[in-house]
Amino acid sequence: MAVVQSLLPRLLHLPILTKPTTALFFLNPFNSKPALNPPSRPFATLLRSTLSAAPPPSLEDADDADLLAAAAVPQIPADRLFVPPETELPSGDGAAAALSARVLKGSNIVLSKYARDAQVAQAEFVKSSVRTEDCPSDGLPEFALVGRSNVGKSSLLNSLVRRKRLALISKKPGKTQCINHFRINDSWYLVDLPGYGYASAPQELRTDWTKFTKDYFLNRSTLVGVFLLIDASIPAKKIDLEYASWLGQNQVPMTLVFTKCDKRKKKKNGGKRPEENVQDFQELIRGFFETAPPWIMTSSVSSMGRDEVLLHMAQLRNYWLKH
């Protein structure tokens, strides 16, 4: 069955299976009901990658090249890596080491030839919308940030663009109540969405936020991917797993972004290190997906993961624009 060209951008984050299958890639332990609106997301042939000993892609500016050189060697099994479409991977002797050198630091994401033009030179707020149809209509690609109300969405957005107050940071969770579009380099958008879970707003408003956010996920044609933020300073929350479940069931392209990875809790008080909470979340998510979705560890305080997120967005965006 041939891949339908118009579906390629929406399939960009689908886990890559090791053998053909007609079953959905997603397993939901919390809800055995069929996926919402499945006719709108036909499950086309999954994208695969070929193998070859190609060097890491060179980026167009020096800063990005430096990031590539600094890529860490993670201890992640090859079958748990996220390999973007059209990515050539090393084979033969030394393939494992060569592959590790292409993985972004603090993530499971392999760099592809599309990882270019990652730096942010300009950022501006464009508009707030309460309906998907009111969002900008210029056709530019966009990435949505979503997570629990106190997970640090605005802090991450400000860190990505190196601006302290581009997105308002509030001490009260639930401050974001609209779909907020920020135009980057006059060529793509970062989108700040209302948080889920606790919010200092009436119940009826929280219900409306959930409704229009999900409508945005399902019907926004320029959405390249959703970056689901997870607080790595605390144990996994069921609500985060359920949100990931919903995105997966509806085949919405998703990257897990673990926030607050700079925080350290004392072992004697029963706290776990962020990397331990990230690992625990990965084990739980195995019950959802046949293969791992892309993930990145970040900290808005130390800027950990900022450049890695931008490189990942760049390769997804450039692939989306080509197809």
Side-chain angles (χ1 to χ4, degrees), residues 3-287:
V3 176
V4 180
Q5 185 173 356
S6 63
L7 286 176
L8 284 174
R10 300 298 267 174
L11 290 173
L12 191 56
H13 279 189
L14 291 183
I16 300 172
L17 305 186
T18 56
K19 57 184 178 180
T21 180
T22 56
L24 287 176
F25 69 94
F26 188 80
L27 301 175
N28 179 8
F30 297 112
N31 188 352
S32 59
K33 296 180 180 180
L36 177 65
N37 198 23
S40 67
R41 305 284 175 107
F43 194 72
T45 301
L46 293 174
L47 304 176
R48 299 189 186 184
S49 300
T50 55
L51 299 177
S52 104
S58 59
L59 304 186
E60 292 184 357
D61 56 71
D63 289 338
D64 285 348
D66 291 340
L67 291 176
L68 277 175
V73 181
Q75 299 299 317
I76 302 175
D79 62 352
R80 305 303 298 169
L81 294 174
F82 171 73
V83 182
E86 298 184 15
T87 301
E88 295 183 346
L89 300 181
S91 61
D93 295 339
L99 177 60
S100 293
R102 294 175 62 98
V103 178
L104 285 172
K105 182 179 179 180
S107 83
N108 71 332
I109 299 168
V110 178
L111 280 170
S112 78
K113 61 184 179 182
Y114 292 102
R116 59 181 183 272
D117 301 324
Q119 296 301 310
V120 174
Q122 181 183 5
E124 61 177 336
F125 171 74
V126 175
K127 68 177 301 187
S128 295
S129 309
V130 295
R131 299 186 306 169
T132 303
E133 52 266 36
D134 295 333
C135 293
S137 58
D138 49 18
L140 296 179
E142 56 195 53
F143 297 92
L145 305 180
V146 69
R148 287 189 299 110
S149 295
N150 59 347
V151 76
K153 296 192 313 311
S154 296
S155 295
L156 177 64
L157 193 153
N158 289 334
S159 175
L160 292 176
V161 301
R162 302 193 189 198
R163 295 263 295 275
K164 291 184 178 180
R165 294 184 60 83
L166 182 67
L168 178 64
I169 300 174
S170 174
K171 294 181 179 180
K172 293 184 178 181
K175 185 68 175 180
T176 301
Q177 301 179 16
C178 301
I179 304 173
N180 297 311
H181 275 75
F182 300 86
R183 187 163 52 225
I184 310 300
N185 298 344
D186 283 327
S187 60
W188 58 282
Y189 288 105
L190 279 171
V191 184
D192 189 13
L193 296 176
Y196 54 84
Y198 171 82
S200 55
Q203 177 63 42
E204 60 270 18
L205 281 181
R206 295 203 295 271
T207 301
D208 287 342
W209 299 347
T210 299
K211 181 179 179 180
F212 77 66
T213 299
K214 290 185 176 180
D215 178 76
Y216 167 84
F217 291 148
L218 294 174
N219 298 308
R220 185 64 172 166
S221 61
T222 53
L223 178 62
V224 178
V226 174
F227 280 56
L228 177 60
L229 277 58
I230 308 295
D231 187 343
S233 69
I234 59 176
K237 296 289 187 181
K238 183 178 178 181
I239 190 172
D240 292 327
L241 297 170
E242 290 177 332
Y243 212 93
S245 168
W246 187 91
L247 291 170
Q249 281 188 315
N250 290 277
Q251 298 186 31
V252 178
M254 176 186 68
T255 294
L256 300 173
V257 177
F258 294 97
T259 64
K260 306 181 184 180
C261 290
D262 59 291
K263 293 192 174 182
R264 291 288 185 267
K265 295 187 177 180
K266 295 181 179 180
K267 295 288 272 185
K268 65 180 181 180
N269 294 330
K272 287 189 174 183
R273 298 190 303 271
E275 53 269 28
E276 292 176 303
N277 288 325
V278 169
Q279 181 62 36
D280 289 346
F281 198 94
Q282 295 303 316
E283 293 300 321
L284 291 170
I285 209 73
R286 286 175 186 265

